[in-house]
Amino acid sequence: MGIELGPVGVWLYGGIPSTVQQRREALARIEQLGYGSVWFGETVGGNDAFARAGVYLAATERLVIGTGVANVWARAAQTMQAGGHALAEAYPGRFVLGVGIGHPFQAEQVGEDFSKPLARMRKYLSIMDEEAAANPPVEPFPRVLGAVGPKMIELSGELTDGVHPFVMPVEHTAQAREILGTGKLLIPHQTVLLEPDPVKARAIRREGLRRALERGSNGYFREWRRLGYADDMAEISDRFVDALTAWGDEEAIAKRVREQLDAGADHVLISPDAPDLPAIVEQLERLAPALGVRA
């Protein structure tokens, strides 16, 4: 489909305080550094995924922009397809539409029932396909599914161009590749932290994981348990922290990215743990040589 991602991209959390101009400048710098893509998530009632993608695409010249993910509860399936169609036509070869079912509380926000998410996602994707058949895109664009469970990954392989797993360890990447087989995109998210002190690094990430566990994300919990981390989750053990976070110096983080690629990833999205956007960009600058990304 004409999308050139390269081995490494960036995943940016939307909750980091910043102005639109600061984000434009950060995206331009990330492009200059040679990263292949920038992705971001979407909540219900937050910054619209397509509006944000449009700003990011306009601020850059070559960078691929991906939604990780555009939330199904935020818009009808026909509108989801049409939004991807519009951005791909405006910026050929530079947009990847990641779609995801989100979480139960997001369904509740719009008065919907989260039960049977697999069936809901299948129907949603089918309606998108019907819209695409009725109004064929001028420019094709990849569609990937935000998925972590085996059945949702199977659905990704059946009805989309690949899968975008979130906050999963390397062994999950290997299992996802086995389920997908060849010819489908596998684009995992990987939290990174440039902190060589193990006590400091684990303390920082333990707090981040504690907040995530308190918020509740049943799909992630279920998958972590399936992978053998049930006891580790309860105490947020060093093993659990280390599995979900690549921390250390530049080479230690580059090593984890290589492990993800060796496990079957096509494109690894690193997500720096940092307090603000300038600190994120600083980490990306430091990491670029070790990761082998070049402008």
Side-chain angles (χ1 to χ4, degrees), residues 173-249:
T173 300
Q175 293 179 16
R177 174 52 70 195
E178 185 175 351
I179 294 169
L180 283 175
T182 59
K184 296 287 184 176
L185 291 170
L186 176 51
I187 305 175
H189 161 281
Q190 175 65 67
T191 302
V192 302
L193 175 60
L194 265 173
E195 174 51 70
D197 186 308
V199 175
K200 291 182 180 178
R202 287 170 174 149
I204 291 169
R205 288 306 305 147
R206 185 169 283 112
E207 181 57 30
L209 287 169
R210 180 176 289 109
R211 291 195 300 269
L213 288 164
E214 288 172 352
R215 285 196 301 268
S217 301
N218 292 339
Y220 302 144
F221 297 171
R222 185 163 51 250
E223 193 59 19
W224 291 334
R225 293 187 187 101
R226 189 187 68 80
L227 292 168
Y229 292 95
D231 293 339
D232 300 276
M233 289 167 59
E235 60 182 272
I236 314 183
S237 69
D238 287 353
R239 175 176 176 263
F240 187 52
V241 172
D242 294 353
L244 299 185
T245 307
W247 58 264
D249 61 14

Side-chain angles (χ1 to χ4, degrees), residues 2 28 32 54 59 63 68 81 86 96 101 111 123 166 168 179 186-187 192 200 229 233 248 264-265 277-278 284 287:
Q32 290 170 358
L63 200 64
Q81 174 64 25
V96 180
I101 196 71
K123 181 178 180 180
F166 197 73
M168 290 292 134
I179 294 169
L186 176 51
I187 305 175
V192 302
K200 291 182 180 178
Y229 292 95
M233 289 167 59
L277 194 54
L284 293 172
L287 286 167

Side-chain angles (χ1 to χ4, degrees), residues 77-197:
Q78 295 93 333
T79 307
M80 184 79 80
Q81 174 64 25
H85 182 162
L87 286 176
E89 182 179 0
Y91 300 95
R94 294 187 55 205
F95 180 67
V96 180
L97 177 57
V99 182
I101 196 71
H103 307 293
F105 75 89
Q106 293 167 336
E108 293 172 5
Q109 285 178 295
V110 294
E112 292 282 359
D113 182 5
F114 193 82
S115 63
K116 299 182 179 179
L118 190 67
R120 178 77 181 228
M121 196 71 245
R122 178 181 289 278
K123 181 178 180 180
Y124 193 97
L125 293 171
S126 297
I127 295 172
M128 288 183 68
D129 289 340
E130 291 170 4
E131 173 65 22
N135 298 287
V138 175
E139 290 287 340
F141 57 93
R143 179 181 70 182
V144 300
L145 188 57
V148 294
K151 291 183 179 179
M152 197 68 83
I153 293 173
E154 287 177 5
L155 184 64
S156 305
E158 179 185 349
L159 295 182
T160 79
D161 299 298
V163 64
H164 167 45
F166 197 73
V167 289
M168 290 292 134
V170 172
E171 58 263 38
H172 182 273
T173 300
Q175 293 179 16
R177 174 52 70 195
E178 185 175 351
I179 294 169
L180 283 175
T182 59
K184 296 287 184 176
L185 291 170
L186 176 51
I187 305 175
H189 161 281
Q190 175 65 67
T191 302
V192 302
L193 175 60
L194 265 173
E195 174 51 70
D197 186 308

